[in-house]
Amino acid sequence: MKNLLKCGLALAAAFSLAACSGGSQSEDTTKIGIIQLAEHPALDQAYEGFMDGLKEAGYTEENTTFDYQNASNDQSNCATIVDKFVNDGDDLIYAIATPSAQTAAKKTSDIPIIVNAVTDPAASGIVKDNEEPGGNVTGVSDLTPVEKQIELLTQIVPDAKKVAVMYCSSEDNSKIQAEMAEKALDAAGLEWQEATVADSSSIQQVTESLIGKVDAIYIPTDNLLAEGMSAVAQVSNANGIPCIVGESGMVENGGLATYGIDYHKLGEMAAKQAVEILKDGKSPAEMPIEYLDPEDCVLTINKSAAEELGITIPDDLAAKAEMVETAA
């Protein structure tokens, strides 16, 4: 009996040590919650760049728990997802796109938040100031060269007189860019009209309403329209209305051209910020919103869209452009 008792005590001690060891490993594991508003190329690249940057810095699945969630472009989903991150006690939240970032900022003032694919975090109410955020949020901006994109429109469609500025009315990110585009169109001496969409079901109808009324369409980095770009292009290209868009993924889905930023690089920049917070102990409050160097913007032109529209791309633009064809 004594020997059996000793064996039992030894086994109990062994299990106790194993449990303590497992608990210690869990405590040492970094937990990162990732919320992506919707699935489209730009946001996907912002996620992939972030993951690649963290991996390079030594944050892998062996020592880090990554909880990736896609909100399917639904605000109520954003709230549910962020609540989960908060309840799980995540060490950091990475919020991709303005609605995701706004929700995260409202839900917690304690967990550090890195945002991406937000044009103007301060104007969107996510931080107090882009230079001095002042709270638990910092990140990178996807501010695109709107003036350069409007200039591109005048080069590719030199006879255009009236342009539709098309965007989702509920996206703060898009409203900011739309206002910038309208000022740039005014400066270029072009007329413009707003064409807003409320949801994906209205995209085709709104695009059809522009037939015969405008000579071109400008669409900023709008999440709803990025998802529905093929629906826009199906109508606009067939009716001779070229679309100058905010980013290269939209070009691949039927838009004519853009000077776009590299969302993968933005993701890598966001990862660097995350490492500075998690490893170096920096405070988001003192970390300015970062921007991609304008020189890193890439001219992308859709060859198949140009052919369908009957547009000849100027030689100087074609020579420096990345030529793509509409995704099948």
Side-chain angles (χ1 to χ4, degrees):
M1 285 294 293
K2 287 182 179 179
N3 288 336
L4 286 173
L5 181 59
K6 287 180 180 179
C7 288
L9 290 171
L11 285 171
F15 281 123
S16 177
L17 286 170
C20 289
S21 174
S24 176
Q25 184 177 5
S26 175
E27 289 173 5
D28 289 342
T29 299
T30 300
K31 295 191 293 185
I32 299 177
I34 302 170
I35 176 172
Q36 181 174 323
L37 178 66
E39 184 177 347
H40 63 72
L43 302 190
D44 293 345
Q45 290 167 25
Y47 164 70
E48 291 164 7
F50 183 72
M51 294 300 289
D52 288 345
L54 287 180
K55 183 178 179 181
E56 187 176 339
Y59 289 85
T60 67
E61 292 182 355
E62 294 179 359
N63 56 31
T64 309
T65 299
F66 297 103
D67 186 357
Y68 170 81
Q69 301 287 336
N70 192 305
S72 301
N73 214 0
D74 187 311
Q75 280 281 65
S76 61
N77 287 345
C78 288
T80 301
I81 291 167
V82 176
D83 281 339
K84 179 181 184 300
F85 295 162
V86 174
N87 292 334
D88 288 347
D90 285 356
D91 299 298
L92 184 135
I93 295 173
Y94 179 48
I96 308 173
T98 303
S100 301
Q102 289 172 322
T103 301
K106 289 176 182 176
K107 289 285 185 178
T108 178
S109 58
D110 298 319
I111 300 174
I113 300 169
I114 301 291
V115 304
N116 197 347
V118 178
T119 298
D120 189 333
S124 300
I126 297 168
V127 299
K128 293 179 181 178
D129 184 270
N130 290 331
E131 285 296 319
E132 298 178 359
N136 63 316
V137 185
T138 188
V140 294
S141 166
D142 68 342
L143 179 63
T144 57
V146 175
E147 291 181 3
K148 198 169 184 179
Q149 291 167 351
I150 297 301
E151 181 184 355
L152 179 63
L153 187 154
T154 63
Q155 292 173 309
I156 296 180
V157 197
D159 296 330
K161 292 182 174 58
K162 190 169 186 178
V163 178
V165 179
M166 190 173 182
Y167 65 98
C168 176
S169 56
S170 63
E171 287 195 30
D172 290 340
N173 186 67
S174 303
K175 292 177 184 177
I176 294 167
Q177 293 176 86
E179 291 173 0
M180 294 171 66
E182 289 161 6
K183 289 179 182 177
L185 288 165
D186 284 337
L190 296 174
E191 293 183 57
W192 53 267
Q193 72 173 71
E194 290 192 347
T196 59
V197 295
D199 51 46
S200 57
S201 64
S202 64
I203 292 176
Q204 182 175 338
Q205 180 182 358
V206 171
T207 309
E208 288 175 344
S209 72
L210 299 173
I211 298 172
K213 297 180 180 178
V214 298
D215 305 304
I217 298 173
Y218 173 75
I219 305 175
T221 53
D222 180 286
N223 292 296
L224 179 66
L225 288 169
E227 274 193 299
M229 189 63 221
S230 58
V232 176
Q234 187 175 2
V235 175
S236 62
N237 290 347
N239 288 278
I241 308 174
C243 292
I244 302 300
V245 294
E247 49 93 10
S248 60
M250 299 168 78
V251 177
E252 293 174 4
N253 284 320
L256 177 59
T258 190
Y259 271 111
I261 60 178
D262 187 331
Y263 278 83
H264 192 278
K265 285 186 179 179
L266 282 181
E268 292 174 341
M269 290 166 60
K272 184 178 179 182
Q273 291 177 317
V275 172
E276 290 176 344
I277 292 170
L278 294 170
K279 191 174 182 179
D280 302 333
K282 283 193 175 183
S283 169
E286 301 170 355
M287 299 170 64
I289 300 298
E290 296 185 11
Y291 300 82
L292 197 65
D293 189 330
E295 295 301 317
D296 289 327
C297 290
V298 178
L299 173 60
T300 308
I301 296 174
N302 187 319
K303 182 180 177 182
S304 52
E307 290 174 351
E308 184 178 3
L309 290 161
I311 289 177
T312 300
I313 303 299
D315 291 340
D316 60 328
L317 292 178
K320 60 183 179 180
E322 179 181 325
M323 305 298 291
V324 300
E325 295 191 5
T326 303

